[in-house]
Amino acid sequence: VSQSRYAARVDSDDIQEPPRLARQFEFLETNPGIGVVGTAVSLIGENDSTFGQKKFPTLSSTIKAQLCVNNPISHATVMYRKSCAEMYGSYDEKFCAAEDYEMWLRWRNKGVEFANLEEKLVLYRIPNNLRRNRLNWRCNLQAKLLHFDKKYFFKNLLGVFLVFIAWLFPPRFFEPIYLKWVATKTKH
């Protein structure tokens, strides 16, 4: 168990840029009101070639509102204050296909502030067999319903509606849409 005040998430198949942890550490040290910080990502394929990037909102207010519809925090890039997990709980295994998303929604409702750095500090691997199945959508929907926040009433309704529709249809119907959204291709 780490003795640090912070915890960093790393996926084994992604590539971390060397300054990632130092930049996030510095950010959290100089922004004591922020509990979670992620970064933008460069998208890579199975052969490590870069084919795009994904940027996320940087302001906490925007991140909190967008959480109603989708997850604006790349889990593979996150560093957070361990005190947040100690106060509000960590990953809930009941949400096995959306445990990070559920935790962010729970923390948002407890007042945790979020940020994303604009810098691309992780090369995020998009596997050839990326799939969202009914379990993913069900866990996502359950997290949205459990942490429905009246402050974002209409955005929450939209998010619940979109995920419910995705959950109803066979995965092959929404897979092209989901892949296009995940792998938003932009020129470098």
Side-chain angles (χ1 to χ4, degrees):
V1 178
S2 167
Q3 299 300 314
S4 172
R5 293 186 310 269
Y6 307 119
R9 178 74 168 62
V10 177
D11 282 344
S12 63
D13 61 341
D14 298 332
I15 300 169
Q16 310 299 307
E17 295 288 1
R20 178 202 160 192
L21 297 177
R23 293 259 175 37
Q24 289 179 301
F25 178 85
E26 290 167 13
F27 181 86
L28 289 172
E29 287 288 299
T30 58
N31 294 278
I34 300 293
V36 179
V37 62
T39 76
V41 296
S42 295
L43 303 170
I44 59 173
E46 299 274 335
N47 62 358
D48 291 350
S49 63
T50 303
F51 65 87
Q53 63 184 352
K54 188 122 182 108
K55 293 187 176 186
F56 301 95
T58 58
L59 297 176
S60 189
S61 59
T62 307
I63 293 168
K64 287 178 168 187
Q66 192 171 329
L67 276 165
C68 299
V69 179
N70 62 6
N71 191 349
I73 305 160
S74 175
H75 192 217
T77 72
V78 166
M79 181 180 283
Y80 61 87
R81 294 180 193 280
K82 287 171 46 178
S83 61
C84 292
E86 292 162 0
M87 287 190 295
Y88 308 123
S90 189
Y91 300 104
D92 186 336
E93 293 179 13
K94 291 181 289 203
F95 296 90
C96 60
E99 64 276 0
D100 60 318
Y101 186 55
E102 185 277 333
M103 187 169 73
W104 306 146
L105 288 168
R106 181 170 12 107
W107 289 9
R108 176 200 65 189
N109 291 353
K110 297 292 186 180
V112 173
E113 299 296 329
F114 299 85
N116 281 307
L117 304 179
E118 291 182 355
E119 193 174 359
K120 296 179 294 291
L121 295 171
V122 174
L123 283 76
Y124 182 73
R125 189 172 312 280
I126 303 291
N128 293 337
N129 63 348
L130 178 65
R131 300 287 183 269
R132 295 286 287 186
N133 60 34
R134 292 176 88 80
L135 176 64
N136 297 110
W137 294 118
R138 188 189 81 218
C139 289
N140 190 298
L141 180 61
Q142 288 173 327
K144 286 180 188 307
L145 291 171
L146 180 63
H147 300 293
F148 195 95
D149 186 343
K150 292 176 188 148
K151 179 179 178 182
Y152 306 101
F153 185 80
F154 291 108
K155 285 184 183 261
N156 275 312
L157 282 180
L158 175 63
V160 166
F161 174 76
L162 292 173
V163 171
F164 181 72
I165 294 299
W167 179 68
L168 284 178
F169 283 88
R172 69 179 175 278
F173 179 80
F174 276 102
E175 188 172 303
I177 297 166
Y178 178 73
L179 288 173
K180 184 173 177 80
W181 177 81
V182 166
T184 302
K185 295 178 184 174
T186 55
K187 301 288 182 201
H188 293 280

